[in-house]
Amino acid sequence: MALFKRDPWILDIYRTYSGKNHLYIRGRALEDQPLKHYEQQTFYQTLRNTWRTFKTDEIRNASVGLTLPNGTQFETKADHEGYFLFDITVDIDLEDLSDDEGYLSLAVKFDEDNAAFAKAKKQKRLAKNSFNGETLIPPQSAVYGVISDIDDTIMHTGVTSFLKIRVAFNTFFKNYDRRLPLKGAASLYQLLHRGPSGNDQNPMFYLSNSPWNLYKYLEKFLDFHGFPKGPILLRDFPTPWDRTPKLKRPHKVHELLNILKHYPDMNFILIGDSGEHDVDYYKDVAQQYPDRIMAIYLRSVNHDKKMARVKSIADSFTICPMLLVQESKEAVIHAREMGWII
């Protein structure tokens, strides 16, 4: 028996978004135990999960294969941090392979012909070699899409707190079932998801500057508090020795533009807060796509200087409605008046 049991190889697959003829699948190859999040965890269990969330050992340059429900296969390679991306145009109609809600199931596995895989298998570090995931392909019934920030937009986070102390406390010491959503947020998002007919299944996209390490945590939070299912789009946290090429634009702008590129015939409602840079990102995107942004809702934050700046921008913005809202019901009233929800 080995003195120290080594962690198994796993593939984390993040729920992303794809197009009718385009796959856009993200994930990460890791040496790790799958995380187990429970409701009503003890303080010790929460700390242990937090430690394991950020203590990750990536599998560098792993060869990864993807299989669609019809048996079609693709291959790619992870980078030096274990992240992999399938960004592929296909000649298959992916809508035909999706379920009624627009989700395409897929399976990802390590390349069994790879020498590193053979070594890991010999070390008994592969309990299985098939990891399930899904990607969203908005159904034909969708009338519009919704792109939303997470921090202080749907979840009380404290990004404007001094030295972001509240952010650190909430992230490291609170389980997902003890985090508070903003009042009425889940109901607003469900109304937008259902749209004017009550059954439109409009796609929901959740953006955050949080690292991919928090993906499972945020997924659990959204599910627990009744938010509509949707892609959760996070980022790789750079380190001083990180060799990953830097994005030409901020992470949120990159994802915003990528979503609009994926769905050129779809219009969007953008939701954020007044505490960080959402107003600048959303304003710039609306200026680039003036006919495709229906409205911008910005939640007010408890910071006088930031609020004064955002209010000045909102008051002079004419491309689309830009509303500062204290509570979700204000956005509900506006969206209902516009005929976007029932």
Side-chain angles (χ1 to χ4, degrees), residues 136-154:
L136 173 65
I137 300 166
Q140 293 289 336
S141 62
V143 178
Y144 54 81
V146 178
I147 304 174
S148 173
D149 178 43
I150 294 177
D151 304 319
D152 284 333
T153 299
I154 61 177

Side-chain angles (χ1 to χ4, degrees), residues 261-276:
K261 180 186 75 175
H262 264 78
Y263 311 114
D265 299 322
M266 184 174 288
N267 295 338
F268 289 87
I269 295 171
L270 309 181
I271 308 178
D273 66 83
S274 306
E276 292 289 290

